[in-house]
Amino acid sequence: MLAHPAGLRDRKSGLHLSASAMVFDRFKGIFIRHPYLHTILLPAGHVEPGELPIVCAVREFHEETGLMVQAGTGQLIDVNLIQIPANPIKHEGQHQHVDFRYYFMLESQLQNSAELPVFRLEQKRAPEEFQAYFDLKLNS
């Protein structure tokens, strides 16, 4: 961070700040297919300058899925360090994300247009990394 005064929001640094959203539609988790990594992930993205991670998670969830979360339901559930491979299309080298993961409740079933393919998966079909988060739904 000392080498990059803009800190975790500088996309040229080796460490980026990101945020993601775990949201359920009934008992199924809402996931996206990442366009570059070609894998099923939580809706997520980079935290922009002046933006709080929780605000980023709400924004990215809406942009990527076309769905909205209920205002005031955000709860920090996890913080992860994720290895991200280089992406020559975005002129980004290999780097890491400090990802703040939040749990939100879904606002409604109404959907605007989604940027990415959206999947509603039961716990047993969700990527193993996210399966423990399904306990949040059972306890809410």
Side-chain angles (χ1 to χ4, degrees):
M1 286 183 59
L2 294 175
H4 297 279
L8 296 173
R9 290 173 174 89
D10 179 359
R11 291 197 184 195
K12 291 183 172 60
S13 73
L15 194 60
H16 301 184
L17 187 60
S18 64
S20 54
M22 180 76 238
V23 182
F24 295 93
D25 182 354
R26 296 181 182 85
F27 290 97
K28 293 181 178 181
I30 300 174
F31 297 91
I32 54 91
R33 180 180 311 281
H34 193 279
Y36 177 68
L37 300 175
H38 306 290
T39 189
I40 302 294
L41 297 172
L42 294 174
H46 288 93
V47 178
E48 300 297 334
E51 184 178 50
L52 294 173
I54 193 168
V55 173
C56 172
V58 170
R59 175 180 55 77
E60 290 287 349
F61 181 78
H62 177 66
E63 289 174 3
E64 293 182 355
T65 68
L67 299 166
M68 297 293 294
V69 299
Q70 287 182 15
T73 64
Q75 172 187 351
L76 182 65
I77 57 171
D78 209 349
V79 179
N80 289 274
L81 186 61
I82 304 167
Q83 299 292 331
I84 306 295
N87 183 342
I89 295 168
K90 290 187 173 183
H91 307 290
E92 290 180 346
Q94 180 179 339
H95 59 280
Q96 295 178 312
H97 282 186
V98 176
D99 187 54
F100 286 78
R101 293 184 178 167
Y102 294 91
Y103 168 59
F104 297 96
M105 298 190 70
L106 185 62
E107 176 64 32
S108 71
Q109 304 299 321
L110 299 176
Q111 184 170 342
N112 296 329
S113 96
E115 285 183 351
L116 301 174
V118 177
F119 301 87
R120 288 168 174 80
L121 302 175
E122 296 173 351
Q123 183 175 12
K124 64 185 176 189
R125 294 192 39 156
E128 187 175 343
E129 173 184 4
F130 308 116
Q131 289 184 5
Y133 299 150
F134 281 74
D135 292 340
L136 296 167
K137 180 62 178 172
L138 298 174
N139 295 325
S140 61

